[in-house]
Structures are given as C-alpha cells and as structure tokens.
Amino acid sequence: MEQMQRILRSAVRSGCDRNSCMIAFGGGVVGDITGYAAASLLRGVEFIQVPASLLAMVDASVGGKTGVNIPEGKNLAGAFHQPRAVLMDLDLLETLPDRQARAGWAEIIKTAAIRDIRLLSLIERERAALLAGSPSLLTKVVERCVRIKAEVVEEDERESGLRMILNFGHTLAHGIEAAQGYGRLLHGEAVAVGMVFAARLGEGLGITREATADRLEALLAAFGLPVHLSKLSCSRILTAMGRDKKRGPRGLRWVFLSQLGEALIRDDVKPAVWQAELKKFIKGK
Ligand SMILES: NC(=O)c1ccc[n+]([C@@H]2O[C@H](COP(=O)([O-])OP(=O)(O)OC[C@H]3O[C@@H](n4cnc5c(N)ncnc54)[C@H](O)[C@@H]3O)[C@@H](O)[C@H]2O)c1
Ligand SMILES: [Zn+2]
C-alpha cells in the first residue's frame, strides 16, 4: 500500500492525465502493483504488461487481476483491470535467478494439470531440454499456458465460475504465504506444495483419480520445487486460511483434479476433514 501511494503520487506530480499509460516492466509483483495503480489513478488509465519473470509471463501478466497484499492476507486490495497489451521477450529470462525460474514452472505445471494433459505429458517428456532452456520448446510451453489462461479468463473474467480453477494449489499456498509473513517460500513454491496437498486431499475424498498426487509430486520435484511442508506452524496456517476470501456458500473453496488435465471446484469439504489431512501432511504422514 505504501508503494502504491508512492507510485500514484509520483504519477500525479509528473503530470499524468487520463490519456497516460503505465508500463509494468518486471515480475508479477511489479505487474500486480502497476496494474492496481493504473486502475486507481484518475479512476483508471491504461497500462501495458512487459513481464520479465517466467511466472509473470505465463500467469500474472495475463487476465487483468491486479492488487497488493496487506498484513491480513494476500491480494486483499485490488481491482480487475485488463492490460492494453502484454509484450513478452523470452530473452529476458536469461538473467532470471534459477529459483525464480523454478517458481514459474510451478504455475506452468498448474496450468497443464487443470486443463491440458498433453501439455503435462510434454513437460514430463522434455523436462531436461526445458530446464536447459531450449528456446523453441519454451516458447511453445509459454504460448500454450498464455492461451489456456486467456481462454479461461475470456469465459469468466470476474471469477464467478470457471476462472476459479486457476487457483488450483492456491488455497493452501495463500495460507502458507500469509502464515510465514510473505517471503520465505516463493509464491510458486507455495503453490507447488499446495497442489500436492490438494491432490492428496482429493484422492482421500475419492474425488481425484488414484496416483494423481504421486505423478504430480514427481514432476514438481523434478523441477526442483518443494512438495512437503514441515517447518511452519499448522495453527498459523489454519488461522490464515480462515481469512481466505475464496469461499463459497458452504465453506472454503477447493480446486481439485478429477484427473490430470481436469479440474473441479468444491466448497463442501468439512473443515475437520481438510484440517486433519493438513495436520498429517505437515507432519509428513
Ligand atoms: N495477477 C495475477 O493474476 C497473478 C497470477 C499469479 C501470480 N501473481 C503474483 O505474482 C507474484 C509473483 O511473481 P514473480 O514470481 O514474478 O515474483 P516477483 O515479481 O517477486 O519477481 C521475482 C524476482 O525476480 C526478479 N526478476 C524478475 N524478472 C527478472 C529478470 N528477467 N531477470 C532478473 N531478475 C528478475 C524480481 O526483481 C524479483 O526479485 C506474486 O505476488 C503473485 O501473487 C499474480
Ligand atoms: Zn499463483
């Protein structure tokens, strides 16, 4: 919020008007805050996304969700504001630190897991080439992810239905991020852990086809992503999840896979059930 104010004040001081256009050049954090500043400045000016991280390219820069965190939770202040354009240059990724690149892979694997089993199989098969940075393969994967996200958002911009599937792995991830005070696990890393948990919970409930969680976990681990959670206090995660704004009429909203490539939403999982599963998951079964 403090940074928002700095951006808005400097925009006004430098003479921005309704015809001004902001450019978000950076990772997802820069994109989210710039988009929110653009949505707020003079009740809305245009903006362009130039994502520089893998995660921002495949996910954060597309779809028009903008916002900032507040101490009470992730993205609790924000707006839907579509960028005028999203420009990507994969060469920017040459300077992206490895750990950040892996966090981007978590959202790529998420996109494949909820919507495209062929993409998931391609990533499994070509893992070595992808990690070595093969430009043609990476272009193909990034393009596919952007198309999937754009398709989903076109159908449901305001997240009243289908768009919720993009939150696969995010129910627990947001709890982890809020409980740790942002920053220890990267967003993508928390999502990786959250996806494994959602897949295990789904299998336990009989919603998710057996062996899905193992396959997903193996792929995430192969990309160097965390798949377990041991050090965080469970009660802090539970408190943070209690504040999650993603609730349906019946309770906390979970995205499950029926199988790899297909997602569904449920808000009727009893708190006692997912909480018991979470305690088991944190202790490592
Ligand atoms: N709006 C959405 O729909 C949406 C979707 C997914 C994630 N997000 C948000 O995006 C954020 C995560 O984005 P992120 O992973 O890009 O994190 P980030 O913005 O924190 O960037 C990660 C780090 O990499 C650096 N960096 C970025 N590009 C670089 C490059 N090309 N070379 C060298 N360093 C570079 C950044 O300075 C930063 O230190 C989270 O806050 C998440 O909530 C938003
Ligand atoms: Zn995410």
Side-chain angles (χ1 to χ4, degrees):
M1 272 301 185
E2 238 168 75
Q3 300 303 324
M4 258 290 275
Q5 199 182 19
R6 282 184 56 195
I7 294 169
L8 292 173
R9 290 182 62 186
S10 86
V12 171
R13 278 201 306 269
S14 61
C16 284
D17 61 23
R18 283 251 164 91
N19 298 315
S20 298
C21 177
M22 289 185 164
I23 297 174
F25 178 44
V29 169
V30 170
D32 279 5
I33 195 170
T34 308
Y36 190 32
S40 313
L41 182 67
L42 309 172
R43 300 208 177 80
V45 300
E46 288 191 342
F47 84 116
I48 291 173
Q49 290 272 22
V50 187
S53 72
L54 183 60
L55 188 145
M57 289 179 187
V58 295
D59 194 350
S61 64
V62 178
K65 273 196 190 176
T66 71
V68 296
N69 302 331
I70 57 175
E72 284 69 23
K74 280 257 317 173
N75 297 333
L76 290 181
F80 287 99
H81 193 50
Q82 293 294 345
R84 188 86 185 118
V86 184
L87 308 175
M88 314 190 183
D89 181 349
L90 296 193
D91 285 351
L92 286 174
L93 300 176
E94 276 169 28
T95 54
L96 187 69
D98 262 8
R99 187 176 171 202
Q100 297 291 347
R102 284 196 292 272
W105 279 103
E107 299 276 14
I108 291 176
I109 293 168
K110 173 202 79 179
T111 307
I114 56 173
R115 217 40 193 178
D116 191 343
I117 182 66
R118 285 178 55 201
L119 177 61
L120 193 100
S121 304
L122 173 92
I123 298 168
E124 282 177 331
R125 215 170 43 243
E126 303 287 356
R127 174 173 57 89
L130 284 166
L131 280 170
S134 154
S136 58
L137 270 176
L138 190 61
T139 305
K140 193 169 161 182
V141 168
V142 169
E143 190 181 339
R144 185 70 197 123
C145 286
V146 171
R147 278 195 199 289
I148 292 171
K149 178 140 190 204
E151 269 165 32
V152 168
V153 173
E154 255 171 47
E155 201 168 307
D156 173 28
E157 185 184 9
R158 296 289 161 128
E159 202 171 284
S160 53
L162 181 68
R163 186 169 183 164
M164 293 172 198
I165 66 171
L166 297 170
N167 292 318
F168 177 50
H170 285 58
T171 310
L172 177 58
H174 287 165
I176 295 170
E177 290 181 292
Q180 70 180 3
Y182 312 119
R184 260 176 282 166
L185 279 187
L186 299 175
H187 176 71
E189 292 171 339
V191 170
V193 174
M195 287 192 284
V196 175
F197 177 68
R200 298 233 173 273
L201 179 61
E203 282 187 27
L205 291 165
I207 298 169
T208 304
R209 183 184 282 182
E210 265 179 51
T212 300
D214 282 347
R215 186 169 164 194
L216 193 61
E217 180 176 323
L219 182 59
L220 292 164
F223 275 84
L225 286 157
V227 289
H228 299 290
L229 191 60
S230 48
K231 292 186 208 90
L232 276 167
S233 143
C234 192
S235 63
R236 285 174 64 196
I237 298 181
L238 292 176
T239 310
M241 286 171 83
R243 278 197 289 257
D244 196 319
K245 64 189 185 302
K246 304 221 159 76
R247 308 189 144 268
R250 289 177 291 188
L252 199 57
R253 202 170 263 146
W254 291 92
V255 183
F256 293 114
L257 300 178
S258 49
Q259 57 185 334
L260 285 164
E262 273 173 40
L264 62 126
I265 310 201
R266 292 279 291 266
D267 66 357
D268 60 347
V269 184
K270 292 203 169 61
V273 172
W274 65 258
Q275 286 173 7
E277 193 68 29
L278 184 61
K279 282 176 194 154
K280 240 171 41 187
F281 185 72
I282 290 176
K283 286 201 201 101
K285 285 170 260 177

